[in-house]
Amino acid sequence: MSFLVQYVVSGGPDGDRHYVEEWSDGTLSTTREGTDTAATVTVKVPHADAVAIEAGDADPNVLFMQGRLKVDGNMAQMMGVLRARSTKR
């Protein structure tokens, strides 16, 4: 099963950034800049939190519970993404 996750990172030094991840069978297969209307999940996160997540200094699950990371769409797919990312740390 494959699906797309649309990310919107707001408030960065160059303004808002949009990128798309394609997931297939629980594995990230591609990442590209831009938007895709076929995305079944949209994640919105402030730039500072996105940087902290990538550096391993913030847990997306905690940011979600604090309301700092917003998710719209298929929550089951997003939970799979979070599980896949947490096993890589």
XYZ file of all heavy atoms in Angstrom:
669
model
N 0.827 -1.171 0.000
C 0.000 0.000 0.000
C 0.881 1.246 0.000
O 1.824 1.337 0.759
C -0.861 -0.016 1.259
C -1.559 1.275 1.490
S -2.611 1.017 2.789
C -3.064 1.951 3.816
N 0.593 2.182 -0.881
C 1.358 3.413 -0.908
C 0.420 4.604 -0.740
O -0.773 4.524 -1.047
C 2.161 3.528 -2.205
O 1.306 3.677 -3.299
N 0.965 5.685 -0.209
C 0.197 6.901 -0.004
C 1.152 8.088 0.065
O 2.362 7.922 0.226
C -0.677 6.809 1.252
C 0.094 6.599 2.526
C 0.488 7.668 3.305
C 0.418 5.315 2.951
C 1.197 7.465 4.482
C 1.106 5.101 4.130
C 1.504 6.191 4.895
N 0.587 9.289 -0.048
C 1.360 10.524 -0.020
C 1.045 11.317 1.236
O -0.112 11.391 1.657
C 1.043 11.386 -1.233
C 1.290 10.771 -2.605
C 0.809 11.722 -3.695
C 2.761 10.449 -2.793
N 2.084 11.926 1.812
C 1.929 12.828 2.948
C 2.403 14.202 2.500
O 3.541 14.353 2.043
C 2.745 12.353 4.170
C 2.592 13.334 5.322
C 2.341 10.954 4.593
N 1.523 15.199 2.616
C 1.849 16.588 2.280
C 2.291 17.299 3.550
O 1.581 17.256 4.563
C 0.616 17.290 1.708
C 0.809 18.758 1.422
C 1.698 18.984 0.217
O 1.387 18.537 -0.868
N 2.807 19.665 0.411
N 3.462 17.933 3.527
C 3.953 18.704 4.667
C 3.917 20.186 4.334
O 4.277 20.580 3.223
C 5.391 18.316 5.013
C 5.511 16.963 5.656
C 5.635 15.815 4.880
C 5.494 16.822 7.031
C 5.736 14.566 5.458
C 5.600 15.571 7.622
C 5.723 14.452 6.829
O 5.813 13.220 7.414
N 3.501 20.978 5.312
C 3.551 22.438 5.216
C 4.340 22.909 6.423
O 3.899 22.761 7.565
C 2.140 23.064 5.209
C 2.242 24.580 5.122
C 1.298 22.493 4.075
N 5.536 23.450 6.169
C 6.401 23.955 7.234
C 6.314 25.479 7.169
O 6.711 26.089 6.175
C 7.853 23.462 7.044
C 8.744 24.016 8.142
C 7.899 21.933 7.023
N 5.785 26.069 8.240
C 5.513 27.508 8.224
C 6.549 28.298 9.005
O 7.178 27.791 9.935
C 4.125 27.779 8.805
O 4.060 27.346 10.149
N 6.713 29.561 8.585
C 7.528 30.502 9.337
C 9.024 30.334 9.218
O 9.764 30.804 10.073
N 9.482 29.702 8.154
C 10.918 29.535 7.955
C 11.571 30.803 7.443
O 10.889 31.771 7.105
N 12.890 30.821 7.368
C 13.600 32.014 6.898
C 13.239 32.393 5.461
O 13.327 33.566 5.093
C 15.085 31.647 7.018
C 15.127 30.184 7.278
C 13.781 29.741 7.739
N 12.811 31.422 4.654
C 12.403 31.695 3.273
C 10.887 31.628 3.109
O 10.385 31.420 2.009
C 13.068 30.689 2.319
C 14.581 30.801 2.326
O 15.098 31.934 2.430
O 15.250 29.761 2.240
N 10.163 31.740 4.208
C 8.708 31.644 4.160
C 8.255 30.206 4.342
O 9.001 29.346 4.785
N 7.004 29.954 3.979
C 6.446 28.605 4.116
C 7.021 27.687 3.042
O 7.244 28.119 1.912
C 4.925 28.638 3.990
C 4.262 29.388 5.139
O 4.960 29.752 6.101
O 3.040 29.603 5.057
N 7.259 26.431 3.422
C 7.775 25.424 2.480
C 6.800 24.265 2.426
O 6.211 23.894 3.430
C 9.143 24.898 2.929
C 10.237 25.932 3.076
C 10.610 26.625 1.781
N 11.119 25.744 0.782
C 12.391 25.583 0.470
N 13.300 26.250 1.108
N 12.741 24.748 -0.473
N 6.663 23.692 1.242
C 5.773 22.551 1.031
C 6.595 21.407 0.448
O 7.391 21.628 -0.472
C 4.660 22.911 0.039
C 3.819 24.054 0.490
N 2.575 23.886 1.006
C 4.050 25.395 0.518
C 2.061 25.056 1.326
N 2.947 25.989 1.045
N 6.398 20.218 0.982
C 7.018 19.044 0.375
C 6.135 17.832 0.575
O 5.229 17.832 1.397
C 8.456 18.830 0.855
C 8.631 18.454 2.300
C 8.779 17.127 2.683
C 8.707 19.420 3.290
C 8.966 16.774 3.999
C 8.894 19.075 4.623
C 9.031 17.751 4.965
O 9.214 17.413 6.277
N 6.409 16.810 -0.226
C 5.582 15.607 -0.266
C 6.477 14.396 -0.055
O 7.556 14.306 -0.637
C 4.851 15.484 -1.622
C 4.027 14.214 -1.695
C 3.995 16.706 -1.889
N 6.001 13.478 0.792
C 6.668 12.189 0.958
C 5.763 11.109 0.384
O 4.561 11.131 0.607
C 6.905 11.867 2.431
C 7.931 12.715 3.105
C 8.117 12.333 4.562
O 7.256 11.648 5.153
O 9.139 12.742 5.112
N 6.374 10.153 -0.324
C 5.630 8.973 -0.769
C 6.081 7.794 0.069
O 7.269 7.513 0.182
C 5.872 8.681 -2.242
C 5.046 7.506 -2.729
C 5.111 7.273 -4.219
O 5.698 8.106 -4.928
O 4.577 6.245 -4.669
N 5.096 7.108 0.660
C 5.338 5.943 1.493
C 4.785 4.715 0.807
O 3.695 4.746 0.257
C 4.680 6.118 2.859
C 5.395 7.119 3.706
C 5.303 8.483 3.633
C 6.339 6.843 4.728
N 6.125 9.063 4.553
C 6.770 8.082 5.241
C 6.855 5.668 5.264
C 7.706 8.169 6.274
C 7.779 5.759 6.284
C 8.202 6.996 6.777
N 5.555 3.636 0.835
C 5.123 2.380 0.230
C 5.501 1.235 1.154
O 6.680 1.094 1.524
C 5.791 2.206 -1.134
O 5.356 1.022 -1.748
N 4.523 0.462 1.561
C 4.729 -0.688 2.448
C 5.516 -0.317 3.699
O 6.436 -1.030 4.101
C 5.425 -1.830 1.695
C 4.562 -2.358 0.563
O 3.332 -2.441 0.749
O 5.113 -2.669 -0.508
N 5.175 0.826 4.305
C 5.800 1.238 5.553
C 7.183 1.838 5.420
O 7.858 2.079 6.414
N 7.619 2.113 4.185
C 8.949 2.662 3.947
C 8.846 3.939 3.127
O 8.091 3.994 2.148
C 9.816 1.645 3.178
O 9.871 0.425 3.932
C 11.217 2.165 2.956
N 9.617 4.945 3.507
C 9.674 6.180 2.741
C 10.402 5.918 1.437
O 11.543 5.464 1.430
C 10.404 7.259 3.545
C 10.603 8.603 2.864
C 9.270 9.259 2.532
C 11.444 9.504 3.753
N 9.719 6.167 0.300
C 10.350 5.882 -0.984
C 10.867 7.137 -1.678
O 11.908 7.086 -2.312
C 9.399 5.111 -1.903
O 8.198 5.822 -2.089
N 10.162 8.261 -1.578
C 10.638 9.503 -2.201
C 10.176 10.709 -1.404
O 9.160 10.668 -0.708
C 10.124 9.679 -3.651
O 8.705 9.741 -3.634
C 10.590 8.580 -4.563
N 10.938 11.779 -1.524
C 10.579 13.080 -0.965
C 10.856 14.117 -2.038
O 11.885 14.053 -2.710
C 11.430 13.402 0.282
O 11.232 12.379 1.252
C 11.051 14.732 0.885
N 9.912 15.046 -2.207
C 10.108 16.111 -3.192
C 9.441 17.387 -2.712
O 8.503 17.345 -1.920
C 9.569 15.702 -4.549
C 8.108 15.358 -4.575
C 7.661 14.937 -5.980
N 6.501 14.109 -6.020
C 5.260 14.447 -5.673
N 5.034 15.635 -5.212
N 4.258 13.601 -5.778
N 9.961 18.511 -3.173
C 9.342 19.793 -2.846
C 8.077 19.969 -3.657
O 7.926 19.393 -4.736
C 10.307 20.934 -3.146
C 11.420 21.037 -2.123
C 12.108 22.376 -2.182
O 11.455 23.401 -1.926
O 13.308 22.365 -2.490
N 7.160 20.768 -3.112
C 5.936 21.093 -3.825
C 4.713 20.561 -3.119
O 4.761 20.174 -1.951
N 3.613 20.563 -3.844
C 2.345 20.087 -3.306
C 1.786 19.000 -4.211
O 2.160 18.897 -5.374
C 1.319 21.232 -3.197
O 1.096 21.769 -4.490
C 1.802 22.327 -2.274
N 0.898 18.199 -3.651
C 0.248 17.139 -4.422
C -1.162 16.957 -3.876
O -1.329 16.607 -2.708
C 1.037 15.842 -4.328
C 0.618 14.819 -5.365
O -0.607 14.682 -5.599
O 1.500 14.161 -5.928
N -2.155 17.188 -4.713
C -3.547 17.080 -4.281
C -3.949 15.632 -4.006
O -4.998 15.401 -3.413
C -4.500 17.691 -5.316
O -4.311 17.029 -6.569
C -4.248 19.178 -5.480
N -3.131 14.671 -4.390
C -3.428 13.263 -4.132
C -3.026 12.831 -2.720
O -3.296 11.696 -2.320
C -2.738 12.377 -5.162
N -2.394 13.726 -1.954
C -1.978 13.380 -0.589
C -3.193 13.053 0.264
O -4.206 13.753 0.208
C -1.182 14.524 0.023
N -3.093 11.982 1.038
C -4.190 11.571 1.907
C -3.988 12.050 3.346
O -4.874 11.907 4.174
C -4.351 10.045 1.899
O -3.097 9.449 2.237
C -4.808 9.555 0.540
N -2.823 12.632 3.615
C -2.502 13.183 4.929
C -1.800 14.517 4.709
O -0.939 14.622 3.832
C -1.564 12.246 5.728
C -1.207 12.850 7.072
C -2.157 10.868 5.896
N -2.163 15.518 5.508
C -1.457 16.802 5.490
C -0.963 17.088 6.896
O -1.729 17.006 7.859
C -2.375 17.942 5.020
O -2.827 17.658 3.691
C -1.639 19.276 5.021
N 0.331 17.412 6.999
C 0.957 17.733 8.275
C 1.403 19.189 8.216
O 2.097 19.593 7.283
C 2.174 16.824 8.545
C 2.870 17.226 9.839
C 1.760 15.366 8.574
N 0.999 19.960 9.228
C 1.408 21.365 9.326
C 2.217 21.531 10.600
O 1.775 21.130 11.684
C 0.174 22.264 9.355
C -0.659 22.165 8.091
C -1.914 22.995 8.184
C -2.748 22.791 6.933
N -4.034 23.489 7.006
N 3.398 22.132 10.448
C 4.294 22.279 11.596
C 5.115 23.561 11.429
O 5.527 23.900 10.320
C 5.214 21.028 11.726
C 6.102 20.849 10.532
C 6.007 21.051 13.005
N 5.350 24.304 12.522
C 6.215 25.474 12.451
C 7.663 25.070 12.144
O 8.114 23.984 12.539
C 6.117 26.091 13.851
C 4.888 25.517 14.460
C 4.717 24.164 13.834
N 8.375 25.955 11.496
C 9.753 25.692 11.075
C 10.640 25.233 12.229
O 11.368 24.243 12.098
C 10.331 26.949 10.415
C 11.749 26.799 9.994
N 12.799 27.230 10.766
C 12.290 26.229 8.894
C 13.933 26.949 10.144
N 13.661 26.339 9.013
N 10.601 25.919 13.349
C 11.477 25.569 14.478
C 11.216 24.140 14.947
O 12.163 23.401 15.268
C 11.281 26.551 15.629
N 9.957 23.732 14.981
C 9.639 22.366 15.399
C 10.071 21.346 14.349
O 10.541 20.258 14.689
C 8.148 22.222 15.700
C 7.745 22.979 16.968
O 8.596 23.131 17.870
O 6.580 23.401 17.052
N 9.942 21.692 13.071
C 10.383 20.785 12.001
C 11.892 20.556 12.084
O 12.370 19.426 11.933
C 10.006 21.351 10.630
N 12.640 21.611 12.357
C 14.095 21.490 12.505
C 14.423 20.602 13.701
O 15.295 19.731 13.619
C 14.744 22.889 12.650
C 16.204 22.782 13.059
C 14.606 23.676 11.346
N 13.708 20.781 14.803
C 13.952 19.967 16.005
C 13.622 18.500 15.756
O 14.345 17.611 16.225
C 13.139 20.518 17.175
N 12.563 18.233 15.003
C 12.213 16.840 14.676
C 13.324 16.203 13.862
O 13.776 15.090 14.158
C 10.876 16.777 13.909
C 9.711 17.146 14.819
C 10.663 15.381 13.309
C 8.405 17.396 14.078
N 13.778 16.889 12.825
C 14.829 16.335 11.959
C 16.133 16.114 12.702
O 16.867 15.177 12.405
C 15.060 17.241 10.741
C 13.951 17.166 9.723
C 13.736 15.756 9.184
O 14.709 15.077 8.814
O 12.574 15.331 9.141
N 16.427 16.969 13.690
C 17.664 16.827 14.471
C 17.537 15.744 15.546
O 18.525 15.401 16.186
C 18.018 18.158 15.114
N 16.320 15.228 15.749
C 16.110 14.232 16.786
C 15.903 14.834 18.153
O 15.929 14.133 19.170
N 15.696 16.164 18.205
C 15.529 16.852 19.479
C 14.071 17.006 19.898
O 13.807 17.518 20.991
C 16.167 18.242 19.407
C 17.676 18.162 19.196
O 18.288 17.170 19.628
O 18.230 19.099 18.590
N 13.137 16.619 19.037
C 11.712 16.714 19.365
C 10.996 15.471 18.853
O 11.340 14.939 17.798
C 11.106 17.968 18.734
N 10.020 15.042 19.609
C 9.215 13.882 19.251
C 7.929 14.386 18.587
O 7.171 15.130 19.211
C 8.893 13.086 20.505
C 8.087 11.829 20.248
O 7.467 11.705 19.169
O 8.063 10.961 21.135
N 7.671 13.993 17.334
C 6.451 14.446 16.664
C 5.179 14.078 17.427
O 4.204 14.823 17.394
C 6.482 13.744 15.310
C 7.830 13.196 15.145
C 8.475 13.138 16.486
N 5.187 12.950 18.121
C 4.028 12.551 18.914
C 3.732 13.572 20.009
O 2.583 13.932 20.251
C 4.235 11.173 19.542
C 4.322 10.082 18.505
O 3.385 9.852 17.765
N 5.467 9.421 18.450
N 4.777 14.055 20.676
C 4.620 15.046 21.738
C 4.137 16.363 21.139
O 3.223 16.998 21.680
C 5.940 15.227 22.517
C 5.856 16.395 23.480
C 6.306 13.942 23.251
N 4.735 16.775 20.029
C 4.313 18.023 19.382
C 2.849 17.947 18.957
O 2.110 18.929 19.081
C 5.202 18.332 18.178
C 6.673 18.615 18.488
C 7.458 18.802 17.199
C 6.812 19.817 19.390
N 2.415 16.779 18.489
C 1.021 16.593 18.112
C 0.124 16.755 19.334
O -0.890 17.458 19.296
C 0.817 15.216 17.468
C -0.616 14.907 17.152
C -1.231 15.480 16.052
C -1.342 14.054 17.961
C -2.556 15.209 15.768
C -2.661 13.764 17.678
C -3.276 14.345 16.576
N 0.493 16.119 20.435
C -0.317 16.194 21.655
C -0.363 17.620 22.209
O -1.347 18.011 22.827
C 0.222 15.232 22.715
C 0.137 13.774 22.290
S -1.512 13.283 21.834
C -2.089 12.681 23.375
N 0.695 18.389 21.971
C 0.738 19.776 22.434
C 0.034 20.728 21.463
O -0.069 21.912 21.734
C 2.194 20.229 22.606
C 2.915 19.514 23.717
C 4.394 19.855 23.763
O 4.998 20.321 22.795
N 4.998 19.620 24.923
N -0.416 20.218 20.317
C -1.097 21.050 19.334
C -0.163 21.858 18.459
O -0.591 22.740 17.725
N 1.128 21.554 18.507
C 2.108 22.289 17.711
C 2.306 21.665 16.339
O 2.803 22.311 15.432
C 3.424 22.362 18.471
C 3.276 23.214 19.721
C 4.387 23.072 20.717
N 5.720 23.214 20.167
C 6.816 22.989 20.877
N 6.715 22.618 22.151
N 7.997 23.131 20.336
N 1.945 20.405 16.177
C 1.980 19.702 14.896
C 0.537 19.298 14.603
O -0.096 18.641 15.422
C 2.887 18.484 15.003
C 3.074 17.644 13.749
C 4.493 17.086 13.729
C 2.083 16.514 13.663
N 0.023 19.747 13.475
C -1.378 19.485 13.114
C -1.432 18.461 11.983
O -0.622 18.512 11.056
C -2.054 20.769 12.654
C -1.873 21.927 13.600
C -3.081 22.166 14.396
C -2.934 23.464 15.157
N -3.274 23.412 16.504
N -2.383 17.550 12.074
C -2.547 16.513 11.058
C -3.992 16.519 10.586
O -4.916 16.496 11.397
C -2.189 15.117 11.619
C -2.413 14.047 10.565
C -0.757 15.085 12.126
N -4.174 16.540 9.271
C -5.486 16.411 8.650
C -5.446 15.210 7.723
O -4.447 14.980 7.052
C -5.842 17.653 7.822
C -6.041 18.888 8.666
O -6.670 18.773 9.733
O -5.564 19.961 8.256
N -6.524 14.456 7.686
C -6.600 13.338 6.749
C -6.591 11.992 7.448
O -7.088 11.854 8.564
N -5.998 11.019 6.789
C -6.023 9.630 7.228
C -5.064 9.417 8.407
O -3.857 9.250 8.228
C -5.650 8.724 6.057
C -5.838 7.269 6.364
O -5.534 6.808 7.449
N -6.331 6.533 5.386
N -5.633 9.398 9.617
C -4.803 9.259 10.821
C -4.130 7.895 10.915
O -3.031 7.785 11.450
C -5.641 9.533 12.070
C -6.013 10.997 12.230
S -4.571 12.083 12.329
C -3.921 11.634 13.911
N -4.742 6.848 10.409
C -4.122 5.521 10.451
C -2.819 5.526 9.651
O -1.807 4.963 10.093
C -5.078 4.463 9.912
N -2.827 6.163 8.496
C -1.601 6.245 7.700
C -0.547 7.070 8.421
O 0.630 6.709 8.448
C -1.905 6.837 6.323
C -2.682 5.900 5.442
C -3.101 6.526 4.129
O -3.131 7.738 3.976
N -3.418 5.685 3.166
N -0.966 8.171 9.048
C -0.009 9.010 9.755
C 0.595 8.278 10.938
O 1.788 8.412 11.214
C -0.683 10.307 10.215
C 0.303 11.326 10.719
S 1.425 11.818 9.389
C 2.916 12.131 10.311
N -0.187 7.481 11.626
C 0.355 6.704 12.748
C 1.416 5.720 12.248
O 2.429 5.502 12.908
C -0.760 5.970 13.483
C -1.757 6.905 14.161
S -1.011 8.143 15.210
C -0.483 7.141 16.567
N 1.213 5.156 11.076
C 2.217 4.279 10.479
C 3.502 5.016 10.174
O 4.604 4.504 10.390
N 3.379 6.258 9.694
C 4.566 7.086 9.420
C 5.308 7.360 10.722
O 6.536 7.227 10.785
C 4.162 8.411 8.720
C 5.321 9.390 8.695
C 3.651 8.141 7.318
N 4.581 7.740 11.759
C 5.227 8.027 13.042
C 5.924 6.795 13.605
O 7.032 6.886 14.128
C 4.198 8.569 14.036
C 3.635 9.952 13.711
C 2.535 10.315 14.690
C 4.728 10.999 13.687
N 5.288 5.625 13.484
C 5.932 4.383 13.956
C 7.203 4.106 13.164
O 8.235 3.759 13.746
C 4.968 3.210 13.830
C 4.034 3.046 14.985
C 3.301 1.708 14.946
N 2.501 1.525 13.731
C 1.277 2.011 13.562
N 0.691 2.701 14.513
N 0.624 1.776 12.442
N 7.153 4.272 11.852
C 8.329 4.007 11.012
C 9.457 4.957 11.367
O 10.611 4.553 11.446
C 7.956 4.130 9.541
N 9.129 6.209 11.598
C 10.172 7.190 11.951
C 10.754 6.916 13.344
O 11.936 7.087 13.540
C 9.610 8.611 11.899
C 9.357 9.080 10.497
C 8.979 10.553 10.507
N 8.659 11.012 9.182
C 9.557 11.392 8.274
N 10.832 11.345 8.556
N 9.184 11.805 7.088
N 9.929 6.482 14.287
C 10.423 6.266 15.648
C 11.353 5.064 15.727
O 12.226 5.009 16.570
C 9.267 6.127 16.632
O 8.567 4.930 16.398
N 11.209 4.092 14.830
C 12.091 2.929 14.859
C 13.463 3.235 14.275
O 14.408 2.491 14.492
C 11.485 1.744 14.070
O 11.286 2.124 12.708
C 10.183 1.300 14.693
N 13.597 4.372 13.581
C 14.881 4.742 12.986
C 15.753 5.548 13.950
O 16.882 5.823 13.656
C 14.650 5.550 11.703
C 14.045 4.704 10.612
C 13.893 5.502 9.351
C 13.286 4.619 8.263
N 13.168 5.314 7.012
N 15.217 5.942 15.065
C 15.979 6.786 16.010
C 16.695 5.948 17.023
O 16.434 4.904 17.358
C 15.044 7.763 16.709
C 14.459 8.739 15.692
C 13.839 9.916 16.385
N 13.084 10.704 15.461
C 13.614 11.646 14.693
N 14.882 11.911 14.742
N 12.871 12.360 13.887
